[in-house]
Structures are given as structure tokens and as C-alpha cells.
Amino acid sequence: MKLKTKILFLSAAAFLSACATGPVLAPSGAFVAEPFTLNLNQNWSAFKRKSEGVQGAALTREGLDLNMLAVYMIEEGHDLKAGKGGTQEEVDYKSGMSQLELVEFATASLASLDMKNIEVSSVETTTFAGEDGVGFDFQGFYELGLAAKGIMRVSETDMGLAMGIYVAPTRVYYDRDAEEARRALTSARL
């Protein structure tokens, strides 16, 4: 196995740790990624996840490092990557966070997924999963140096923090799927 292939595999494996299932077909139409339902205009592959404090799914068309559309519910006291009791650099979700704190938490979550040099833009109030929240665009680099762009949506709910993410390399994949990802994130409901 080539070194790049090994690194990509290990990166995907680390992201999908903690009770993630193998891929299932997420056909166009309504797709359930507990506790979310979202509408897709095309087929994706989905990796569902349910672990202590985090549940949802990551969807992809070619591989999680090439395009990832994800929806997660994060319970209070947990973070996206490690669940509960992560490293000191990781920030746990606490209910009642301000919009600025939600942006910081979301950015820290991206960093825990091996994104580097993250720059946030277009921060605005929005609705995600039927609740008032905050959304923003971002750009940065994957661990291996590949430039990436993305969309983030977060909102507080009775169940915890609802988080929607789309991220892909700036070349080819981001522009190809960004509108589909925006539509899917806008359609997300609990």
C-alpha cells in the first residue's frame, strides 16, 4: 500500500472510530441519519455513527477525504472526535454557548478532523435542523497539505448541538457538490 493511501485510510479510520458502521447506500430522496432526516438529490455512501455522546452520519461520493457531507448530534460534555474526555486541546460542547463560542467549537471540531490553518468567513445567523443557529464558510488544508473549503451549520436543540458539515478539496470536488451539500444541510430536520 502506498504511503499516501495508508495515510488517507488511517485518517478516515480515525474519523469513523467509535462504533461507526461500514458504508450503506444513501439514495437520493429522504435519508435518515439518526436523529436527522435530510433530502438528497443524488446517491451518496453513508457511514452511520453512534457512540457515547455523538450520533449521526458522514456521507461521501468518492471517499471521506475527497468529499464529506456530515450531520451529527453532540451531547453536552462531548466533542466530535473523542466523544467524552478528549484531549486538552479539544473543547467539549456546553449548552447555552454564544454564537461566537459555537463558531469556536465548530472550528475546533474541524481541527480535530485534521484540518489545519482554518479561516472562517461569511458568519451569519441561520436555521439548521429546525432551530436557530449559526453558519459559516471555511477554508483550510488537510493534514497532507491539500487545500479544502467547506460549509458549517450548528444549532442548539433539546437533544444537544446539531452540526452539519460539508468539506472537500478546492479543486474539482468542492465546486461540484457544494450546492447539493447546501440543499441537503438546509433540508436537515430532527
Side-chain angles (χ1 to χ4, degrees):
M1 199 182 279
K2 292 182 181 177
L3 179 59
K4 182 177 177 185
T5 304
K6 281 185 181 179
I7 292 171
L8 290 174
F9 175 78
L10 291 173
S11 174
F15 172 74
L16 295 170
S17 65
C19 301
T21 63
V24 297
L25 177 63
S28 62
F31 176 71
V32 177
E34 284 291 333
F36 299 93
T37 300
L38 56 153
N39 294 318
L40 304 173
N41 287 344
Q42 56 195 349
N43 294 343
W44 293 71
S45 293
F47 296 83
K48 294 186 177 184
R49 176 179 176 186
K50 184 168 179 139
S51 60
E52 183 182 354
V54 181
Q55 66 177 352
L59 295 85
T60 184
R61 291 183 59 205
E62 282 82 21
L64 293 173
D65 285 329
L66 296 178
N67 48 37
M68 180 183 72
L69 171 63
V71 286
Y72 290 112
M73 182 62 67
I74 303 169
E75 294 176 8
E76 187 165 9
H78 293 77
D79 61 59
L80 182 60
K81 186 171 183 182
K84 187 174 179 123
T87 67
Q88 286 185 320
E89 295 83 30
E90 293 167 350
V91 179
D92 290 338
Y93 164 65
K94 296 171 190 70
S95 66
M97 289 177 145
S98 68
Q99 286 190 344
L100 177 59
E101 290 170 322
L102 290 174
V103 170
E104 290 173 348
F105 176 82
T107 304
S109 296
L110 291 169
S112 77
L113 298 177
D114 296 327
M115 292 285 302
K116 306 293 179 208
N117 300 330
I118 300 164
E119 295 179 13
V120 172
S121 62
S122 304
V123 178
E124 61 185 5
T125 57
T126 190
T127 300
F128 177 63
E131 299 290 339
D132 291 338
V134 64
F136 60 89
D137 295 334
F138 64 90
Q139 61 185 12
F141 296 89
Y142 287 120
E143 181 77 20
L144 298 175
L146 187 61
K149 290 171 61 174
I151 303 161
M152 177 71 76
R153 301 289 183 261
V154 292
S155 64
E156 291 193 279
T157 73
D158 291 340
M159 300 170 63
L161 184 70
M163 179 179 284
I165 308 164
Y166 170 66
V167 62
T170 55
R171 300 194 75 191
V172 180
Y173 298 103
Y174 180 82
D175 288 336
R176 184 192 74 185
D177 295 325
E179 285 311 308
E180 161 71 1
R182 284 185 199 281
R183 278 191 299 275
L185 291 174
T186 299
S187 76
R189 295 290 178 263
L190 296 173

Short mmCIF file of all heavy atoms in Angstrom, two decimals, residues 76-139:
data_model
loop_
_atom_site.label_atom_id
_atom_site.label_comp_id
_atom_site.label_asym_id
_atom_site.label_seq_id
_atom_site.Cartn_x
_atom_site.Cartn_y
_atom_site.Cartn_z
N GLU A 76 -24.17 17.38 25.41
CA GLU A 76 -23.39 18.25 26.29
C GLU A 76 -22.27 17.46 26.96
O GLU A 76 -22.45 16.32 27.37
CB GLU A 76 -24.30 18.88 27.35
CG GLU A 76 -23.58 19.91 28.18
CD GLU A 76 -24.52 20.79 28.98
OE1 GLU A 76 -25.73 20.51 29.04
OE2 GLU A 76 -24.01 21.76 29.56
N GLY A 77 -21.09 18.09 27.05
CA GLY A 77 -19.94 17.46 27.69
C GLY A 77 -19.14 16.57 26.76
O GLY A 77 -18.22 15.88 27.20
N HIS A 78 -19.47 16.57 25.47
CA HIS A 78 -18.77 15.74 24.49
C HIS A 78 -18.23 16.60 23.36
O HIS A 78 -18.59 17.76 23.22
CB HIS A 78 -19.73 14.68 23.92
CG HIS A 78 -20.15 13.68 24.93
ND1 HIS A 78 -21.10 13.95 25.90
CD2 HIS A 78 -19.75 12.40 25.14
CE1 HIS A 78 -21.27 12.87 26.65
NE2 HIS A 78 -20.46 11.93 26.22
N ASP A 79 -17.36 16.02 22.56
CA ASP A 79 -16.86 16.70 21.36
C ASP A 79 -16.98 15.75 20.18
O ASP A 79 -17.31 14.58 20.35
CB ASP A 79 -15.41 17.17 21.55
CG ASP A 79 -14.45 16.02 21.82
OD1 ASP A 79 -14.35 15.12 20.96
OD2 ASP A 79 -13.79 16.02 22.87
N LEU A 80 -16.74 16.25 18.99
CA LEU A 80 -16.97 15.47 17.79
C LEU A 80 -16.04 14.27 17.66
O LEU A 80 -16.48 13.18 17.34
CB LEU A 80 -16.82 16.37 16.55
CG LEU A 80 -17.09 15.68 15.21
CD1 LEU A 80 -18.50 15.14 15.15
CD2 LEU A 80 -16.83 16.65 14.08
N LYS A 81 -14.77 14.44 17.93
CA LYS A 81 -13.82 13.37 17.65
C LYS A 81 -13.73 12.33 18.76
O LYS A 81 -13.87 11.14 18.51
CB LYS A 81 -12.43 13.94 17.38
CG LYS A 81 -11.45 12.87 16.94
CD LYS A 81 -10.16 13.46 16.48
CE LYS A 81 -9.24 12.37 15.98
NZ LYS A 81 -7.96 12.89 15.56
N ALA A 82 -13.50 12.78 19.97
CA ALA A 82 -13.17 11.83 21.04
C ALA A 82 -14.36 11.41 21.88
O ALA A 82 -14.23 10.56 22.72
CB ALA A 82 -12.09 12.43 21.95
N GLY A 83 -15.52 12.02 21.62
CA GLY A 83 -16.66 11.68 22.48
C GLY A 83 -16.55 12.43 23.79
O GLY A 83 -16.61 13.63 23.83
N LYS A 84 -16.29 11.72 24.88
CA LYS A 84 -16.18 12.36 26.20
C LYS A 84 -14.76 12.23 26.71
O LYS A 84 -14.13 11.21 26.55
CB LYS A 84 -17.15 11.68 27.18
CG LYS A 84 -17.23 12.39 28.51
CD LYS A 84 -18.30 11.77 29.37
CE LYS A 84 -18.35 12.47 30.69
NZ LYS A 84 -19.66 13.00 30.97
N GLY A 85 -14.28 13.30 27.32
CA GLY A 85 -12.95 13.25 27.92
C GLY A 85 -11.84 13.24 26.89
O GLY A 85 -10.89 12.48 26.98
N GLY A 86 -11.94 14.10 25.88
CA GLY A 86 -10.92 14.18 24.84
C GLY A 86 -9.65 14.83 25.38
O GLY A 86 -9.47 15.03 26.58
N THR A 87 -8.77 15.19 24.48
CA THR A 87 -7.52 15.83 24.86
C THR A 87 -7.78 17.24 25.34
O THR A 87 -8.85 17.81 25.10
CB THR A 87 -6.53 15.85 23.68
OG1 THR A 87 -7.07 16.73 22.67
CG2 THR A 87 -6.29 14.47 23.12
N GLN A 88 -6.81 17.86 25.97
CA GLN A 88 -6.97 19.21 26.49
C GLN A 88 -7.21 20.22 25.39
O GLN A 88 -7.84 21.24 25.61
CB GLN A 88 -5.74 19.61 27.31
CG GLN A 88 -5.69 18.93 28.66
CD GLN A 88 -4.54 19.44 29.49
OE1 GLN A 88 -3.46 19.67 28.97
NE2 GLN A 88 -4.78 19.62 30.77
N GLU A 89 -6.68 19.96 24.17
CA GLU A 89 -6.87 20.90 23.07
C GLU A 89 -8.30 20.90 22.57
O GLU A 89 -8.75 21.85 21.96
CB GLU A 89 -5.94 20.57 21.89
CG GLU A 89 -4.46 20.73 22.20
CD GLU A 89 -3.88 19.50 22.90
OE1 GLU A 89 -4.36 18.38 22.67
OE2 GLU A 89 -2.96 19.68 23.69
N GLU A 90 -9.03 19.82 22.79
CA GLU A 90 -10.39 19.73 22.30
C GLU A 90 -11.34 20.41 23.27
O GLU A 90 -11.14 20.42 24.48
CB GLU A 90 -10.77 18.27 22.08
CG GLU A 90 -9.97 17.64 20.94
CD GLU A 90 -10.08 16.14 20.89
OE1 GLU A 90 -10.62 15.55 21.84
OE2 GLU A 90 -9.62 15.57 19.90
N VAL A 91 -12.37 21.00 22.73
CA VAL A 91 -13.36 21.72 23.52
C VAL A 91 -14.62 20.88 23.58
O VAL A 91 -15.09 20.39 22.56
CB VAL A 91 -13.66 23.08 22.85
CG1 VAL A 91 -14.71 23.84 23.63
CG2 VAL A 91 -12.39 23.90 22.69
N ASP A 92 -15.18 20.70 24.76
CA ASP A 92 -16.44 19.98 24.90
C ASP A 92 -17.60 20.96 24.71
O ASP A 92 -17.53 22.11 25.11
CB ASP A 92 -16.55 19.32 26.28
CG ASP A 92 -15.59 18.15 26.43
OD1 ASP A 92 -15.17 17.59 25.41
OD2 ASP A 92 -15.28 17.81 27.58
N TYR A 93 -18.69 20.45 24.14
CA TYR A 93 -19.89 21.25 23.95
C TYR A 93 -20.58 21.49 25.30
O TYR A 93 -20.71 20.58 26.11
CB TYR A 93 -20.85 20.54 22.99
CG TYR A 93 -22.25 21.10 23.05
CD1 TYR A 93 -22.50 22.41 22.65
CD2 TYR A 93 -23.29 20.35 23.55
CE1 TYR A 93 -23.76 22.95 22.74
CE2 TYR A 93 -24.57 20.88 23.63
CZ TYR A 93 -24.81 22.18 23.23
OH TYR A 93 -26.05 22.71 23.33
N LYS A 94 -21.00 22.72 25.52
CA LYS A 94 -21.76 23.10 26.71
C LYS A 94 -22.99 23.85 26.24
O LYS A 94 -22.89 24.76 25.42
CB LYS A 94 -20.93 23.99 27.62
CG LYS A 94 -19.70 23.31 28.20
CD LYS A 94 -18.82 24.34 28.90
CE LYS A 94 -17.50 23.77 29.28
NZ LYS A 94 -16.60 23.50 28.17
N SER A 95 -24.17 23.49 26.74
CA SER A 95 -25.39 24.18 26.31
C SER A 95 -25.32 25.65 26.70
O SER A 95 -24.67 26.02 27.68
CB SER A 95 -26.63 23.51 26.91
OG SER A 95 -26.65 23.66 28.30
N GLY A 96 -25.98 26.48 25.92
CA GLY A 96 -26.00 27.90 26.18
C GLY A 96 -24.81 28.66 25.63
O GLY A 96 -24.61 29.83 25.98
N MET A 97 -24.01 28.03 24.77
CA MET A 97 -22.87 28.73 24.18
C MET A 97 -23.36 29.89 23.32
O MET A 97 -24.40 29.80 22.67
CB MET A 97 -22.04 27.78 23.31
CG MET A 97 -21.25 26.74 24.05
SD MET A 97 -20.38 25.63 22.88
CE MET A 97 -18.88 25.31 23.76
N SER A 98 -22.58 30.97 23.29
CA SER A 98 -22.89 32.11 22.42
C SER A 98 -22.58 31.71 20.97
O SER A 98 -21.94 30.67 20.72
CB SER A 98 -22.03 33.31 22.81
OG SER A 98 -20.67 33.06 22.49
N GLN A 99 -23.03 32.52 20.03
CA GLN A 99 -22.74 32.21 18.63
C GLN A 99 -21.24 32.18 18.38
O GLN A 99 -20.75 31.33 17.64
CB GLN A 99 -23.43 33.20 17.70
CG GLN A 99 -24.91 32.96 17.60
CD GLN A 99 -25.56 33.76 16.49
OE1 GLN A 99 -25.00 34.71 15.97
NE2 GLN A 99 -26.77 33.36 16.14
N LEU A 100 -20.49 33.09 19.00
CA LEU A 100 -19.04 33.09 18.85
C LEU A 100 -18.45 31.78 19.40
O LEU A 100 -17.59 31.17 18.77
CB LEU A 100 -18.42 34.29 19.55
CG LEU A 100 -16.89 34.37 19.52
CD1 LEU A 100 -16.37 34.41 18.09
CD2 LEU A 100 -16.40 35.57 20.30
N GLU A 101 -18.92 31.35 20.56
CA GLU A 101 -18.44 30.09 21.13
C GLU A 101 -18.81 28.89 20.25
O GLU A 101 -18.02 27.94 20.13
CB GLU A 101 -18.99 29.89 22.54
CG GLU A 101 -18.41 30.86 23.55
CD GLU A 101 -19.13 30.82 24.89
OE1 GLU A 101 -20.38 30.69 24.91
OE2 GLU A 101 -18.43 30.93 25.92
N LEU A 102 -19.99 28.93 19.62
CA LEU A 102 -20.38 27.85 18.70
C LEU A 102 -19.44 27.81 17.49
O LEU A 102 -19.05 26.73 17.04
CB LEU A 102 -21.83 28.01 18.26
CG LEU A 102 -22.88 27.76 19.32
CD1 LEU A 102 -24.27 28.10 18.79
CD2 LEU A 102 -22.83 26.32 19.82
N VAL A 103 -19.08 28.98 16.97
CA VAL A 103 -18.13 29.03 15.85
C VAL A 103 -16.78 28.47 16.30
O VAL A 103 -16.15 27.68 15.58
CB VAL A 103 -18.00 30.46 15.29
CG1 VAL A 103 -16.85 30.56 14.29
CG2 VAL A 103 -19.31 30.90 14.65
N GLU A 104 -16.33 28.85 17.49
CA GLU A 104 -15.05 28.34 18.01
C GLU A 104 -15.11 26.83 18.21
O GLU A 104 -14.15 26.12 17.91
CB GLU A 104 -14.68 29.06 19.30
CG GLU A 104 -14.29 30.50 19.08
CD GLU A 104 -14.08 31.28 20.37
OE1 GLU A 104 -14.44 30.78 21.46
OE2 GLU A 104 -13.57 32.41 20.28
N PHE A 105 -16.23 26.32 18.74
CA PHE A 105 -16.38 24.88 18.93
C PHE A 105 -16.34 24.16 17.59
O PHE A 105 -15.68 23.14 17.42
CB PHE A 105 -17.68 24.55 19.66
CG PHE A 105 -17.93 23.08 19.81
CD1 PHE A 105 -17.33 22.36 20.83
CD2 PHE A 105 -18.74 22.40 18.91
CE1 PHE A 105 -17.53 20.99 20.95
CE2 PHE A 105 -18.95 21.03 19.03
CZ PHE A 105 -18.34 20.33 20.05
N ALA A 106 -17.07 24.70 16.60
CA ALA A 106 -17.11 24.08 15.27
C ALA A 106 -15.73 24.09 14.63
O ALA A 106 -15.31 23.11 14.01
CB ALA A 106 -18.13 24.80 14.39
N THR A 107 -15.00 25.18 14.79
CA THR A 107 -13.65 25.27 14.23
C THR A 107 -12.72 24.28 14.93
O THR A 107 -11.91 23.62 14.28
CB THR A 107 -13.12 26.71 14.36
OG1 THR A 107 -14.04 27.59 13.72
CG2 THR A 107 -11.77 26.86 13.70
N ALA A 108 -12.83 24.14 16.24
CA ALA A 108 -12.03 23.16 16.97
C ALA A 108 -12.39 21.74 16.51
O ALA A 108 -11.52 20.87 16.42
CB ALA A 108 -12.25 23.29 18.47
N SER A 109 -13.66 21.50 16.19
CA SER A 109 -14.07 20.20 15.67
C SER A 109 -13.41 19.91 14.33
O SER A 109 -12.96 18.80 14.07
CB SER A 109 -15.60 20.13 15.53
OG SER A 109 -16.22 20.24 16.79
N LEU A 110 -13.33 20.93 13.47
CA LEU A 110 -12.64 20.76 12.18
C LEU A 110 -11.16 20.45 12.40
O LEU A 110 -10.60 19.58 11.74
CB LEU A 110 -12.79 22.02 11.33
CG LEU A 110 -14.18 22.32 10.81
CD1 LEU A 110 -14.23 23.72 10.21
CD2 LEU A 110 -14.61 21.28 9.79
N ALA A 111 -10.55 21.15 13.34
CA ALA A 111 -9.14 20.90 13.64
C ALA A 111 -8.94 19.47 14.15
O ALA A 111 -7.94 18.83 13.83
CB ALA A 111 -8.62 21.91 14.66
N SER A 112 -9.91 18.95 14.91
CA SER A 112 -9.79 17.58 15.41
C SER A 112 -9.92 16.56 14.28
O SER A 112 -9.56 15.40 14.44
CB SER A 112 -10.81 17.31 16.51
OG SER A 112 -12.10 17.09 15.98
N LEU A 113 -10.46 17.01 13.12
CA LEU A 113 -10.57 16.14 11.94
C LEU A 113 -9.39 16.35 11.00
O LEU A 113 -9.47 16.08 9.81
CB LEU A 113 -11.88 16.41 11.19
CG LEU A 113 -13.15 16.15 11.98
CD1 LEU A 113 -14.38 16.53 11.16
CD2 LEU A 113 -13.24 14.69 12.40
N ASP A 114 -8.28 16.86 11.53
CA ASP A 114 -7.02 17.05 10.81
C ASP A 114 -7.06 18.17 9.78
O ASP A 114 -6.33 18.12 8.79
CB ASP A 114 -6.55 15.73 10.17
CG ASP A 114 -6.22 14.68 11.22
OD1 ASP A 114 -5.76 15.07 12.31
OD2 ASP A 114 -6.45 13.50 10.96
N MET A 115 -7.89 19.19 10.01
CA MET A 115 -7.84 20.39 9.18
C MET A 115 -6.86 21.36 9.84
O MET A 115 -6.84 21.49 11.06
CB MET A 115 -9.21 21.05 9.09
CG MET A 115 -10.26 20.28 8.32
SD MET A 115 -10.06 20.30 6.53
CE MET A 115 -10.12 22.03 6.16
N LYS A 116 -6.08 22.04 9.03
CA LYS A 116 -5.08 22.99 9.53
C LYS A 116 -5.32 24.36 8.91
O LYS A 116 -5.92 24.47 7.84
CB LYS A 116 -3.66 22.52 9.15
CG LYS A 116 -3.33 21.11 9.60
CD LYS A 116 -3.26 21.01 11.09
CE LYS A 116 -2.94 19.58 11.50
NZ LYS A 116 -3.45 19.23 12.77
N ASN A 117 -4.82 25.41 9.56
CA ASN A 117 -4.90 26.78 9.06
C ASN A 117 -6.31 27.15 8.63
O ASN A 117 -6.54 27.66 7.53
CB ASN A 117 -3.92 27.00 7.90
CG ASN A 117 -2.48 26.74 8.30
OD1 ASN A 117 -2.11 26.94 9.45
ND2 ASN A 117 -1.69 26.27 7.36
N ILE A 118 -7.27 26.91 9.49
CA ILE A 118 -8.68 27.13 9.16
C ILE A 118 -9.00 28.62 9.22
O ILE A 118 -8.70 29.29 10.21
CB ILE A 118 -9.59 26.36 10.14
CG1 ILE A 118 -9.29 24.87 10.06
CG2 ILE A 118 -11.06 26.65 9.86
CD1 ILE A 118 -9.84 24.07 11.21
N GLU A 119 -9.60 29.12 8.15
CA GLU A 119 -10.06 30.51 8.08
C GLU A 119 -11.56 30.49 7.90
O GLU A 119 -12.08 29.81 7.03
CB GLU A 119 -9.40 31.24 6.92
CG GLU A 119 -7.90 31.40 7.06
CD GLU A 119 -7.28 32.11 5.87
OE1 GLU A 119 -8.02 32.70 5.06
OE2 GLU A 119 -6.05 32.07 5.77
N VAL A 120 -12.26 31.25 8.74
CA VAL A 120 -13.72 31.31 8.73
C VAL A 120 -14.17 32.57 8.00
O VAL A 120 -13.56 33.63 8.16
CB VAL A 120 -14.24 31.31 10.19
CG1 VAL A 120 -15.73 31.56 10.24
CG2 VAL A 120 -13.88 30.00 10.88
N SER A 121 -15.24 32.46 7.21
CA SER A 121 -15.80 33.62 6.53
C SER A 121 -17.32 33.49 6.46
O SER A 121 -17.87 32.42 6.72
CB SER A 121 -15.22 33.75 5.12
OG SER A 121 -15.56 32.63 4.33
N SER A 122 -17.97 34.57 6.12
CA SER A 122 -19.42 34.59 5.92
C SER A 122 -20.20 34.06 7.12
O SER A 122 -21.15 33.29 6.95
CB SER A 122 -19.80 33.81 4.65
OG SER A 122 -19.11 34.29 3.53
N VAL A 123 -19.82 34.46 8.32
CA VAL A 123 -20.54 34.03 9.53
C VAL A 123 -21.89 34.74 9.56
O VAL A 123 -21.97 35.95 9.36
CB VAL A 123 -19.75 34.36 10.80
CG1 VAL A 123 -20.52 33.96 12.05
CG2 VAL A 123 -18.38 33.68 10.77
N GLU A 124 -22.97 33.95 9.76
CA GLU A 124 -24.30 34.54 9.81
C GLU A 124 -25.24 33.67 10.63
O GLU A 124 -25.01 32.47 10.78
CB GLU A 124 -24.87 34.71 8.40
CG GLU A 124 -25.03 33.40 7.65
CD GLU A 124 -25.48 33.59 6.21
OE1 GLU A 124 -25.57 34.75 5.75
OE2 GLU A 124 -25.73 32.59 5.55
N THR A 125 -26.28 34.30 11.17
CA THR A 125 -27.29 33.51 11.85
C THR A 125 -28.07 32.74 10.78
O THR A 125 -28.25 33.21 9.66
CB THR A 125 -28.24 34.41 12.67
OG1 THR A 125 -28.85 35.37 11.80
CG2 THR A 125 -27.51 35.11 13.79
N THR A 126 -28.50 31.56 11.13
CA THR A 126 -29.20 30.70 10.18
C THR A 126 -30.08 29.74 10.97
O THR A 126 -30.06 29.73 12.19
CB THR A 126 -28.20 29.93 9.29
OG1 THR A 126 -28.90 29.28 8.24
CG2 THR A 126 -27.39 28.92 10.09
N THR A 127 -30.82 28.93 10.24
CA THR A 127 -31.59 27.86 10.86
C THR A 127 -30.98 26.55 10.38
O THR A 127 -30.71 26.39 9.20
CB THR A 127 -33.07 27.94 10.42
OG1 THR A 127 -33.58 29.19 10.83
CG2 THR A 127 -33.88 26.83 11.06
N PHE A 128 -30.73 25.65 11.33
CA PHE A 128 -30.23 24.32 10.97
C PHE A 128 -30.99 23.30 11.80
O PHE A 128 -31.14 23.46 13.01
CB PHE A 128 -28.72 24.20 11.22
CG PHE A 128 -28.19 22.83 10.93
CD1 PHE A 128 -28.24 22.31 9.65
CD2 PHE A 128 -27.70 22.03 11.94
CE1 PHE A 128 -27.79 21.02 9.37
CE2 PHE A 128 -27.24 20.75 11.68
CZ PHE A 128 -27.29 20.25 10.39
N ALA A 129 -31.48 22.26 11.16
CA ALA A 129 -32.26 21.19 11.80
C ALA A 129 -33.48 21.76 12.53
O ALA A 129 -33.87 21.27 13.58
CB ALA A 129 -31.38 20.36 12.74
N GLY A 130 -34.05 22.83 11.96
CA GLY A 130 -35.26 23.41 12.52
C GLY A 130 -35.04 24.34 13.69
O GLY A 130 -36.00 24.80 14.30
N GLU A 131 -33.81 24.65 14.04
CA GLU A 131 -33.50 25.52 15.18
C GLU A 131 -32.62 26.68 14.74
O GLU A 131 -31.85 26.57 13.80
CB GLU A 131 -32.77 24.73 16.28
CG GLU A 131 -33.54 23.56 16.84
CD GLU A 131 -34.73 23.97 17.70
OE1 GLU A 131 -34.75 25.11 18.19
OE2 GLU A 131 -35.63 23.14 17.88
N ASP A 132 -32.73 27.80 15.46
CA ASP A 132 -31.86 28.95 15.20
C ASP A 132 -30.43 28.57 15.54
O ASP A 132 -30.17 27.90 16.54
CB ASP A 132 -32.29 30.16 16.03
CG ASP A 132 -33.63 30.72 15.59
OD1 ASP A 132 -34.03 30.47 14.43
OD2 ASP A 132 -34.27 31.40 16.40
N GLY A 133 -29.51 29.01 14.70
CA GLY A 133 -28.11 28.70 14.93
C GLY A 133 -27.21 29.65 14.18
O GLY A 133 -27.58 30.78 13.88
N VAL A 134 -26.03 29.16 13.86
CA VAL A 134 -25.04 29.97 13.16
C VAL A 134 -24.44 29.11 12.04
O VAL A 134 -24.31 27.90 12.17
CB VAL A 134 -23.96 30.49 14.14
CG1 VAL A 134 -23.16 29.36 14.75
CG2 VAL A 134 -23.05 31.50 13.46
N GLY A 135 -24.10 29.79 10.95
CA GLY A 135 -23.47 29.10 9.82
C GLY A 135 -22.29 29.91 9.33
O GLY A 135 -22.21 31.12 9.54
N PHE A 136 -21.36 29.23 8.68
CA PHE A 136 -20.21 29.92 8.11
C PHE A 136 -19.57 29.06 7.04
O PHE A 136 -19.80 27.85 6.97
CB PHE A 136 -19.19 30.33 9.18
CG PHE A 136 -18.61 29.18 9.97
CD1 PHE A 136 -17.46 28.52 9.54
CD2 PHE A 136 -19.18 28.80 11.16
CE1 PHE A 136 -16.92 27.49 10.29
CE2 PHE A 136 -18.65 27.77 11.92
CZ PHE A 136 -17.51 27.10 11.47
N ASP A 137 -18.79 29.71 6.21
CA ASP A 137 -17.95 29.01 5.25
C ASP A 137 -16.54 28.97 5.84
O ASP A 137 -16.20 29.79 6.69
CB ASP A 137 -17.93 29.73 3.90
CG ASP A 137 -19.30 29.74 3.22
OD1 ASP A 137 -20.11 28.82 3.50
OD2 ASP A 137 -19.56 30.66 2.44
N PHE A 138 -15.74 28.03 5.38
CA PHE A 138 -14.36 27.96 5.87
C PHE A 138 -13.45 27.43 4.78
O PHE A 138 -13.90 26.84 3.79
CB PHE A 138 -14.26 27.09 7.14
CG PHE A 138 -14.62 25.65 6.93
CD1 PHE A 138 -13.65 24.71 6.57
CD2 PHE A 138 -15.92 25.21 7.09
CE1 PHE A 138 -13.98 23.38 6.39
CE2 PHE A 138 -16.27 23.88 6.91
CZ PHE A 138 -15.29 22.96 6.55
N GLN A 139 -12.19 27.67 4.97
CA GLN A 139 -11.17 27.07 4.11
C GLN A 139 -9.96 26.74 4.96
O GLN A 139 -9.79 27.30 6.04
CB GLN A 139 -10.80 27.99 2.96
CG GLN A 139 -10.22 29.32 3.36
CD GLN A 139 -9.98 30.22 2.16
OE1 GLN A 139 -10.44 29.95 1.06
NE2 GLN A 139 -9.25 31.29 2.37
#
